[in-house]
């Protein structure tokens, strides 16, 4: 049952992080208009099961008036709301309170703040820590997101190499992470990668939506286009077994997806996401309506 809608409010970001599965950065395009937000919110009562909406990016605070209006629209429908941000705007606790107070007054439910070396390096208080303090002062529930760069640990037993494993590995190997962070990491045989460990593609509990109209089952894996078919209709007619990408994934993960479409591929990959993402890149020209936008695959 679909309970959450995550707005990719913009693909634009003031950072260009190596782990970003959307290839976001200063040059990335695709930002909602207020009219597009209204179109989505009009569909939510028609869906009838949505409980919470999130505003993400890119960096959602780059379009602050739009973010504020989106929180207001959600609050009018009685929905819980969340925001994900890198907190670049928290130059001090006092200034952070200026940014957060209107959101608090508009009814924001919680805020997630990126606080890791991908976003901020060096000693001292990070913007996320200042934003966290400001949120606490205002009574806004808030927490931090910490993504650690993957590294390799080699285990040994009585001098014999027992193999290598990823440590600190909560990076998702999609998007720019495949380009920047995969070198030297241990791999698994492709036929062991036979499920999707992160998304319920048969009965999705959440979708991400972007300004191009794409309704993402997983970033870059599209249910359909809500500017062509209303979101409520897409949700009602979606059948994973009829979808050329999510169908095979539900049956046997990326290994079966590759077999179903007769894709010639390597023998080993880091994990299911790594394999799935690379297979999808090979299929993107065949299924452009289901694998989009191209920029999240680093192709534009």
């Amino acid at each position: 049952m679909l309970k959450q809608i995550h707005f990719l409010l913009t693909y634009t970001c003031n950072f260009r992080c190596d782990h970003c599965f959307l290839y976001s950065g200063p040059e990335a395009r695709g930002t909602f208009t207020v009219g597009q937000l209204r179109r989505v919110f009009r569909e939510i009562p028609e869906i009838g099961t949505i409980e919470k909406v999130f505003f993400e990016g890119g960096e959602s605070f780059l379009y602050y008036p739009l973010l504020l209006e989106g929180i207001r629209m959600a609050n009018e429908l009685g929905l819980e709301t969340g925001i994900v941000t890198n907190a670049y705007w928290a130059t001090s606790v006092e200034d952070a309170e200026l940014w957060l107070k209107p959101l608090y007054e508009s009814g924001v439910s919680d805020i997630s703040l990126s606080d890791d070396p991908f976003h901020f390096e060096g000693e001292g208080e990070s913007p996320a820590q200042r934003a966290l303090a400001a949120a606490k002062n205002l009574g806004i529930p808030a927490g931090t997101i910490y993504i650690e760069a993957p590294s390799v640990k080699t285990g040994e037993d009585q001098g014999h190499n027992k193999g290598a494993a990823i440590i600190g590995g909560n990076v998702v190997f999609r998007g720019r992470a495949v380009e920047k962070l995969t070198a030297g990491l241990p791999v698994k045989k492709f036929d062991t990668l036979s499920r999707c460990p992160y998304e319920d593609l048969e009965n999705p509990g959440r979708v991400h939506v972007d300004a191009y109209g794409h309704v993402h089952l997983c970033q870059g894996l599209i249910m359909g286009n809500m500017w062509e078919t209303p979101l409520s209709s897409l949700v009602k007619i979606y059948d994973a077994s009829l979808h050329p990408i999510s169908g095979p994934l539900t049956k046997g993960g990326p290994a079966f997806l590759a077999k179903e479409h007769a894709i010639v591929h390597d023998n080993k990959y880091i994990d299911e996401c790594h394999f799935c993402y690379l297979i999808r890149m090979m299929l993107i020209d065949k299924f452009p309506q289901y694998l989009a936008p191209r920029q999240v695959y680093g192709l534009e």
Side-chain angles (χ1 to χ4, degrees), residues 34-201:
V34 68
Q36 288 173 331
L37 281 181
R38 289 194 193 101
R39 286 179 66 178
V40 178
F41 277 105
R42 282 197 295 266
E43 290 294 300
I44 287 177
E46 297 297 320
I47 297 170
T49 58
I50 304 302
E51 298 174 354
K52 188 169 185 176
V53 296
F54 286 81
F55 295 89
E56 308 174 7
E59 174 46 50
S60 56
F61 272 71
L62 291 175
Y63 295 89
Y64 185 79
L66 193 65
L67 173 62
L68 192 62
E69 183 64 7
I71 296 293
R72 188 195 63 77
M73 290 180 188
N75 195 45
E76 281 189 349
L77 291 179
L79 301 170
E80 292 184 61
T81 53
I83 301 171
V84 179
T85 175
N86 63 38
Y88 76 92
W89 37 270
T91 53
S92 70
V93 173
E94 185 179 26
D95 284 350
E97 289 185 27
L98 284 176
W99 286 81
L100 292 179
K101 187 176 180 181
L103 292 166
Y104 171 73
E105 292 171 344
S106 294
V108 69
S109 303
D110 65 74
I111 298 177
S112 297
L113 306 153
S114 296
D115 190 16
D116 55 50
F118 284 112
H119 295 88
F120 306 103
E121 295 183 3
E123 300 296 325
E125 186 180 54
S126 70
Q129 290 168 334
R130 294 192 286 268
L132 194 63
K136 183 178 180 180
N137 291 344
L138 292 168
I140 302 173
T144 57
I145 301 172
Y146 185 89
I147 304 296
E148 187 175 359
S151 58
V152 180
K153 179 180 181 181
T154 300
E156 295 184 358
D157 183 22
Q158 296 180 346
H160 298 287
N161 188 355
K162 294 181 65 178
I166 300 174
I167 59 172
N170 57 348
V171 166
V172 176
F173 290 100
R174 299 193 292 262
R176 197 177 285 122
V178 173
E179 174 191 351
K180 298 289 187 179
L181 299 175
T182 56
L185 296 181
V187 291
K188 305 172 185 177
K189 198 167 183 297
F190 80 92
D191 56 6
T192 66
L193 306 174
S194 56
R195 66 188 185 97
C196 176
Y198 297 118
E199 303 292 345
D200 183 351
L201 297 174

Side-chain angles (χ1 to χ4, degrees), residues 2-6 49-54 205-207:
L2 189 67
K3 294 184 176 182
Q4 297 181 1
I5 293 176
H6 294 235
T49 58
I50 304 302
E51 298 174 354
K52 188 169 185 176
V53 296
F54 286 81
R206 64 172 183 176
V207 292

